[in-house]
Amino acid sequence: MSATEQGAAGPSGGFRNQQLDASQLPDHGEVVLEPVARGYVTFSLVLWGLLVGLPVVLVATVAGVIAFGAQLGMLAGAGALLVALGLTTYGYLDARVFGWAVREHDLVTRQGVIWRRTVVVPLVRIQHVEITSGPLERAFGTLRLQAFTAGSGGADLVIYGLEPERAERLRGYLRTRIEEVTAELAAEVGGDARG
C-alpha cells in the first residue's frame, strides 16, 4: 500500500477522504422547498408597509414641508411613498421567495429576492432548536424556528413563517432526529474505539 493510499485509509483503515466528481454532486436547487404560511406574507406586508414605509412617508413629508414649504414637502412625501411601496413590495417578494426543507441529514433554507442565500445545516451539528415569535408574528399566527449549532453566537438557521402546529411538529422531529444522530455517532465512535 502506498503512503497516499495509507493516508486516505488512515492508520486503522477506517477513515477515508476521497475526492468526489464535482459533476456528480447533488444539486441543492432540486430540493423541494416548503413555503411560508399565508399569515407570514401578510405579516411581511404589514411590517414593511405600515411599520417601516408609513413612518418614512410621514417623516419625509413633514420634514419637507418644514424645510422647503408645502409644495416641495409634498414632492418629498411622494418620493418617500415610492420608497415605501418599494419596501413593501420587497417584503412581500421576500416572504414569497423564502422556503425551507427537512431532509434525512440536514435542514435547508433559501431566501433573498436580490441576493439569494441558501443555508444547509447538517442535523449532526445542531445542538438545540427553539421556537420564537414577536407580538406581530403571533398576531398573524406565525412562529420562527431557530436552529443552533456548537460554537455559534446565534441561530445558524432560521425558518420563518411557520404555523404553530407545524412549528411544534418540526421541533419535535428535529429533537428526536438530533438524539438519534448523536446516538449513532456515539455508537460508531464506541465501535471504532473497541475495534
Side-chain angles (χ1 to χ4, degrees), residues 31-184:
V31 176
V32 178
L33 299 172
E34 298 287 331
V36 296
R38 190 173 304 163
Y40 186 76
V41 175
T42 307
F43 159 79
S44 291
L45 287 170
V46 169
L47 176 70
W48 287 99
L50 294 180
L51 299 182
V52 175
L54 184 60
V56 166
V57 171
L58 292 175
V59 168
T61 304
V62 170
V65 168
I66 291 171
F68 305 111
Q71 196 171 20
L72 289 177
M74 291 302 164
L75 282 175
L81 180 60
L82 290 176
V83 170
L85 289 173
L87 289 173
T88 304
T89 302
Y90 176 83
Y92 171 78
L93 294 174
D94 191 50
R96 299 294 295 171
V97 167
F98 184 85
W100 60 276
V102 181
R103 299 190 303 174
E104 186 178 0
H105 298 290
D106 56 32
L107 276 175
V108 179
T109 60
R110 188 174 303 136
Q111 64 190 77
V113 175
I114 299 169
W115 290 277
R116 187 63 50 94
R117 179 176 181 225
T118 301
V119 178
V120 181
V121 176
L123 296 181
V124 69
R125 293 206 48 228
I126 298 174
Q127 293 212 319
H128 75 279
V129 292
E130 62 183 47
I131 294 174
T132 60
S133 65
L136 191 58
E137 286 172 296
R138 285 193 303 277
F140 289 99
T142 66
L143 305 170
R144 276 175 276 154
L145 183 132
Q146 299 177 312
F148 297 85
T149 63
S152 66
D156 293 289
L157 181 137
V158 180
I159 299 175
Y160 298 96
L162 292 170
E163 294 164 335
E165 181 184 324
R166 196 166 212 191
E168 289 294 340
R169 278 189 300 147
L170 181 56
R171 178 173 58 174
Y173 169 78
L174 290 173
R175 283 182 174 168
T176 301
R177 190 67 187 117
I178 292 164
E179 289 170 6
E180 290 171 356
V181 167
T182 303
E184 289 169 9

